[in-house]
Amino acid sequence: MKMTQETIGKNIRKARREKDMTQDTLAERLAVTESAVSQWEVGKTVPDLMLIPALCAVLGVTSDWLLGVNEEKRREEIAEISSRASDLASRGHESEAAGLLEDALKRYPNDEELIDGLLFIENNKDRAIELGEWMLKNSTDESNRRDAIQCLVYAYREKGDLARAKELAYSMPPIHQTSDFLLNAVLDGEEWARHIRDLRSSLLDWLAFYIGIGGGEDAEYAAKKVISLFELLYDDGDYGFAHGRLYDSWIILAKAAAGRKEIGETVKDLTEAAKHALAFDAYVDAPEYTHTSVLFCGTHKPNVGLNFKENIAQGLLNAMSDPVFDFLRAMPEFEAIRAKIEPSAGEWKV
């Protein structure tokens, strides 16, 4: 990032806010007008060079930092750290990723990119709330603020502060006011068609999630509906990420059938679960994937965040150790399923 009026203005605003200082107070300390400070911060003008030493002293920063010297190198290093942390967290190594980001924050205090990444993986809810509330107070980046609200809602829920969680949730726009929906009205041609296909894919995944969520007495019924939904809309097994949803559904059905000691149904359901577990793991490890189904044709593999260390094949091995399957554990059909998935089971590669 080169030294620009905008960069200098952003740095002045950032440093002033971190000092809990108003524009009026800063102007008074420097013997300039409040309007002058405002013009600096929006990038319309820059401070006179003679003011730089005094400005740095008041804000407690170096002139190199204020003027954006070495800022490009700094951003490159932060981007590299953030990318590595994202790779670790997406494969279940959240503690290691959080430690990496916390160490980086010691070198680059209050950096919003680092804080934004840490918000999504911080297991300590008090720390997550501290970071999220700081972002709401100090950030002018709307994307970062939305991320903070998203994380704060869950953190406050875990802490039992439902009033604050609801307040933040209600501050967000309803689904029909999001960019995903509004873009339908302004895009056209192939860009519109591509957006629609991507939106279908996202909505289908969320619909399947909310059908299957909750468990209880309706779990088996819901699992069957999720399977039917994907089979209806995807062509020729072109499931992609949905292999994971289908695996979850078949495991629910397998455990339900096992609970009734239905040997044939249990084996069939476990066989389907194994098929989708291996397909999902292959999908995640593949460098790219493009859907061929008519309704989703051309949509590509998104950035897949998993947040658990073990792959789905390992998850199926773990599930098959449940005592509910003891009645068929010695059967060759059960052993064949285990033998099929065992070579692929393990932790995700980072």
Side-chain angles (χ1 to χ4, degrees):
M1 183 182 297
K2 297 179 180 178
M3 184 180 75
T4 64
Q5 291 185 182
E6 183 180 3
T7 300
I8 295 170
K10 286 182 177 179
N11 288 345
I12 292 172
R13 181 173 64 244
K14 178 181 175 68
R16 175 180 62 77
R17 287 179 170 176
E18 289 176 1
K19 288 283 189 179
D20 286 327
M21 189 182 299
T22 65
Q23 288 183 342
D24 182 57
T25 299
L26 178 59
E28 184 178 347
R29 298 277 298 272
L30 296 173
V32 298
T33 65
E34 184 178 352
S35 175
V37 174
S38 176
Q39 295 287 305
W40 298 342
E41 293 191 358
V42 296
K44 288 188 176 181
T45 63
V46 294
D48 188 284
L49 286 176
M50 298 297 291
L51 275 176
I52 296 298
L55 179 58
C56 290
V58 171
L59 296 177
V61 299
T62 66
S63 59
D64 280 355
W65 181 88
L66 185 72
L67 300 176
V69 178
N70 294 325
E71 179 66 10
E72 184 175 358
K73 181 178 179 181
R74 174 177 179 270
R75 296 285 6 136
E76 288 176 355
E77 182 176 353
I78 288 174
E80 184 177 334
I81 292 169
S82 297
S83 177
R84 176 58 179 165
S86 178
D87 288 342
L88 288 166
S90 69
R91 297 300 183 267
H93 299 269
E94 293 185 345
S95 295
E96 186 177 346
L100 187 64
L101 292 172
E102 288 284 15
D103 286 343
L105 276 172
K106 293 175 183 176
R107 299 198 304 277
Y108 304 115
N110 297 330
D111 182 85
E112 291 188 17
E113 182 176 347
L114 296 173
I115 292 174
D116 188 63
L118 187 55
L119 269 171
F120 284 94
I121 58 175
E122 179 56 69
N123 288 322
N124 183 318
K125 300 309 175 187
D126 289 326
R127 176 62 170 154
I129 289 170
E130 176 189 358
L131 293 169
E133 292 291 1
W134 182 94
M135 190 77 85
L136 289 184
K137 179 181 178 182
N138 295 282
S139 179
T140 58
D141 185 300
E142 284 304 314
S143 177
N144 288 344
R145 292 178 61 83
R146 288 193 297 271
D147 285 348
I149 290 172
Q150 178 184 347
C151 295
L152 282 169
V153 167
Y154 292 107
Y156 277 118
R157 181 196 65 182
E158 292 299 312
K159 294 290 292 182
D161 189 348
L162 296 183
R164 179 58 174 158
K166 288 179 181 178
E167 176 188 5
L168 290 167
Y170 278 122
S171 74
M172 300 290 274
I175 189 170
H176 61 275
Q177 292 179 356
T178 63
S179 61
D180 285 332
F181 278 74
L182 295 175
L183 283 171
N184 296 332
V186 295
L187 298 180
D188 57 19
E190 178 54 32
E191 188 179 16
W192 176 83
R194 186 170 58 251
H195 176 73
I196 289 296
R197 291 192 293 267
D198 287 336
L199 184 56
R200 286 172 183 158
S201 182
S202 297
L203 290 175
L204 177 57
D205 182 66
W206 279 110
L207 179 59
F209 174 79
Y210 281 108
I211 289 174
I213 199 170
E217 295 180 359
D218 296 331
E220 189 174 1
Y221 177 83
K224 291 178 179 178
K225 291 300 183 183
V226 169
I227 292 168
S228 297
L229 183 63
F230 283 122
E231 289 178 344
L232 175 66
L233 296 177
Y234 283 108
D235 305 325
D236 303 321
D238 176 40
Y239 299 120
F241 184 83
H243 280 296
R245 301 288 187 211
L246 288 164
Y247 162 79
D248 291 337
S249 297
W250 283 111
I251 279 293
I252 290 171
L253 295 182
K255 289 185 176 180
R260 296 189 292 269
K261 299 294 190 294
E262 297 172 354
I263 296 176
E265 279 298 305
T266 304
V267 170
K268 176 181 74 68
D269 296 342
L270 284 175
T271 300
E272 288 293 325
K275 179 181 75 175
H276 290 293
L278 293 174
F280 182 80
D281 291 348
Y283 167 82
V284 171
D285 288 334
E288 59 183 34
Y289 182 94
T290 302
H291 282 284
T292 56
S293 300
V294 173
L295 293 177
F296 310 97
C297 185
T299 56
H300 297 285
K301 175 182 176 181
N303 182 27
V304 181
L306 301 167
N307 303 319
F308 44 88
K309 292 181 181 180
E310 296 176 339
N311 62 18
I312 304 298
Q314 184 62 53
L316 178 53
L317 280 183
N318 297 341
M320 290 173 67
S321 67
D322 191 307
V324 74
F325 298 115
D326 285 348
F327 75 102
L328 50 73
R329 197 170 301 282
M331 294 183 178
E333 296 90 345
F334 188 88
E335 175 58 23
I337 296 170
R338 190 197 63 77
K340 183 177 182 179
I341 62 175
E342 190 171 40
S344 301
E347 292 191 356
W348 296 110
K349 298 174 182 177
V350 180

